[in-house]
Amino acid sequence: MKKLVLKTALITFIAACVVLLSLFGIMSLAAPVAMMNITASLGLGGMSSDYAYEAYGRNEEIGYLARAAEVAYANGNYKKADDRFKELIAHQSFKEYCESRDRDAGAFEGAHTAGTYRAYIYSSASCAKYHLAETKEEKSETINFAIDNTEKNFPEYNAVIALAVEARRAENAEFCGMLKEALKDAVNRGRFDGDNTDLNNVIKFLEDFE
């Protein structure tokens, strides 16, 4: 009798698992937005990012693409982040989306952002590239990407600063040296103003590490 009860309980448990897995599969296919939110609430950032990207593939809403890129980066999946940032930046509505995010950020009383949403995206994209760069050529491309996408007036929050902090945090002396020389070259060719205090602080920040 005891064996029968245990067998029945095991069969019931297996059946319940099958049902739950089936429901999970159906939800994944039919409602990626719902699954994106569910997995995010469970702390499953990687899965949430993938569901966001799947949602973007279905409805082409740029907000889902942005979320897919941001969450992939936050979870250290730099390859997916890099691919999705590229797609986001190339999106025809990227400029308008950045402007809308800046308006939303300022819509709340007392809201403070370190910089524009555009700067945030290019900073994150630069750092994702940094983590993927292995050869000297790839490192140079990463540095050029950050410099090319930082405004001439060198605002207090930008991709170059984010890249410098990331390299210093990793104690990457070689990369810091490359970035420092690239910034000096950028000043010499007029890309940035050599009298800019924030820029000079970044160069000194890099020099102090060497």
Side-chain angles (χ1 to χ4, degrees):
M1 183 67 179
K2 186 177 180 181
K3 287 184 178 180
L4 179 62
V5 171
L6 289 174
K7 186 177 181 180
T8 302
L10 181 61
I11 292 172
T12 302
F13 175 74
I14 293 172
C17 288
V18 170
V19 170
L20 286 173
L21 288 172
S22 298
L23 288 173
F24 189 86
I26 292 169
M27 284 286 287
S28 297
L29 292 171
V33 174
M35 290 304 298
M36 174 189 74
N37 293 325
I38 290 171
T39 51
S41 67
L42 293 174
L44 303 173
M47 292 180 68
S48 180
S49 171
D50 289 342
Y51 280 120
Y53 191 68
E54 185 179 340
Y56 167 70
R58 293 195 181 192
N59 57 35
E60 297 186 348
E61 287 187 22
I62 189 173
Y64 291 124
L65 176 57
R67 177 165 178 169
E70 292 174 35
V71 177
Y73 175 73
N75 279 270
N77 196 328
Y78 300 120
K79 183 63 176 70
K80 283 184 179 180
D82 183 46
D83 291 341
R84 292 168 184 178
F85 279 131
K86 286 177 183 175
E87 194 171 351
L88 175 62
I89 290 167
H91 197 286
Q92 61 180 4
S93 299
F94 177 61
K95 182 175 181 292
E96 291 77 10
Y97 182 70
C98 288
E99 291 170 351
S100 71
R101 288 293 295 266
D102 289 341
R103 286 195 298 271
D104 290 344
F108 302 98
E109 185 176 354
H112 172 75
T113 56
T116 64
Y117 182 74
R118 178 187 181 280
Y120 164 69
I121 290 298
Y122 276 111
S123 295
S124 299
S126 296
C127 291
K129 290 179 182 296
Y130 165 79
H131 286 284
L132 296 172
E134 296 181 351
T135 67
K136 192 167 185 177
E137 182 181 2
E138 290 171 340
K139 292 172 184 176
S140 292
E141 289 175 356
T142 297
I143 290 170
N144 290 335
F145 176 82
I147 290 175
D148 291 345
N149 292 291
T150 294
E151 292 88 338
K152 185 178 176 63
N153 66 344
F154 206 82
E156 63 178 348
Y157 182 85
N158 61 61
V160 169
I161 293 175
L163 198 55
V165 171
E166 198 76 0
R168 273 290 303 262
R169 182 184 294 123
E171 299 184 351
N172 191 333
E174 179 192 12
F175 192 91
C176 287
M178 291 176 65
L179 180 55
K180 179 198 70 176
E181 293 304 320
L183 288 175
K184 288 183 176 180
D185 177 68
V187 170
N188 290 336
R189 57 189 169 85
R191 177 68 179 81
F192 298 126
D193 180 5
D195 293 327
N196 185 289
T197 301
D198 290 324
L199 173 60
N200 287 321
N201 285 339
V202 171
I203 293 175
K204 188 174 187 307
F205 175 69
L206 295 168
E207 286 177 337
D208 289 344
F209 179 68
E210 291 184 289

